[in-house]
Amino acid sequence: MSAAPSETVFRTSLGLTALTSLIAANSAEGAATEADTRATDSPATVVVTGQRPSLEVLPETILDTPQSINVVSGELIGKQGGASLADALKNVPGITLNAGEGGTHGDLVNLRGFSAGDDYFMDGLRDTGLYDRDAFNYEALEIYKGPASTIFGRGSTGGVINQIEKAPQLQPFQNFTATAGTNSEARATADVNAPLAEHAALRLNLMGMRNEVEGRPFTRNQRWGLAPTVGVGIDTATALTLKYLHQTENNLPDYGIPFLFDRPAPVARDTFYGLPADDRFQSRVDVGTLKFHHAFGSVWSVSDTARYGNYYFLSRETAAIYGSGNCFTSTSSAGYFAGAPVCAATASKGEVPVASNNPYFPVIGTPIASVQVLRDRPSGSGTIKIAMNDLDFTARFSTGPLSHAVIFGTEYDDERAELVRFVNQDTLITPVALLAPDPFESFPGTQTDVSQRPSTRTHTVGVYGTDTVGLGPHWDLTAAIRYDSFHAAFDQPVGQAAHFDHTDEIWSPRAALDLQAERAGERVLLLRNILQPVG
């Protein structure tokens, strides 16, 4: 077989701002975008009836799948200048992007009102880890809305976000992009595909980026990644694909401006309350995936996907906080900090409610010029390791007038999280004026005193089966059931010791009935009824 001519594409852009304005291009419910030349010049809603989901457990087209699915193509993400999962998800209705509430890290998404913190998947397997996912290796995104426990198991109450990684192709090509802008923005990517033999190919994706934030000194986001992939047996009955993803980030985080009297403090935008000499958020992701697929003629096929992953993070961040609403009987009282108010000696238990002029606990009427802030410095690090495998058998056959697409399989998932939390330095750093914080003030240095060392292990075994029955040209009936055994063990040996151990055994059924019809030469969905529990 002769290879197609090699294609090399260079794309560069120079922006006046570091942020690219995104144009929403939302797929309709139960529809998806595809490579249609009519949709490449400007993003638009494209309804497609022939595209299939990427998951082996869903054998029918998106139109025929009883699940609300949005697909965002990698081509669309690239045309919009999207650099991350968060950028891509702005195309999808029903998604809420959070901003680190509660001190959490990485991608923070609500899907149909439910937290999706444990509902990120990559090529159908769970992508556990606290990091900001970059879009440089995306072929597409699939967003499954609504309960999907018969497909994905635990969680998935609001839905699931499945990242489809790029795979080797039989045609050679080279794509390069470079972006530069204000705020020291720089980003470059490379996508190189090279056939190795008639049915084998190697593909390599590379990414590096760095940017600051307008009006916020010291704040920095930077990361780099690589994703080599090799495939053999492409477009044959027996195929094997090996993928590897590495991504590293090293950011200088920013907790912004504190509130005062129920509104942002009246300070300049460039007022910075962090300690840039030591503040960091770092992550390192290494994920390897091996997929094997074999077709036994036209009826049976088998697919097995195995994955091992290691996710590391380190978090040291500083935020402005106020003191407690108390004063102290003397400078030797527990928790006293330099400059805190001292109460009368008759105060009970060493502390009494503060007067209205306490600069460390401002109330309405406190002069703004006298308000002082403390430095909250929670810090921690951790490693999450995963090992998982998904095995699927598919059969397509007919019984009289009925067609069947039967899938049954098993899933194994083992995850271990080893975390370290350090003692907060909030009482060890000299308070500063709200109106004039000093980013370079002295502090005790990187915290090394451990306050907690929680260890968590989860072990999941799932078994499932699905039968999609074609009741003639217009009706489809889907019946599915899944059983999961989920075991979790938690140990906390440091500080207040704790141990928990629990096993859940869960059945997840689903039944769905679809009615389609031909309208203006296209198949359209007229009726869909889905019966399943939430969870």
Side-chain angles (χ1 to χ4, degrees), residues 106 129-133 222-224 246-251 280-285 311-315 382:
L130 304 175
Y131 71 107
D132 298 302
R133 293 162 176 83
Q222 62 181 21
R223 59 181 178 261
W224 69 272
H246 174 86
Q247 182 183 309
T248 296
E249 62 181 326
N250 183 13
N251 303 333
R280 293 292 183 275
F281 178 73
Q282 300 173 337
S283 72
R284 185 174 62 249
V285 176
Y311 304 84
Y312 166 81
F313 79 92
L314 170 66
S315 172

Side-chain angles (χ1 to χ4, degrees), residues 112 114 139 156-157 199 226-227 338 358 367 417 419 442 486 529:
R112 286 195 167 177
F114 295 92
E139 192 70 46
S156 62
T157 305
H199 294 288
L226 62 88
N358 180 356
L419 307 181
S442 62
F486 175 76
N529 284 321

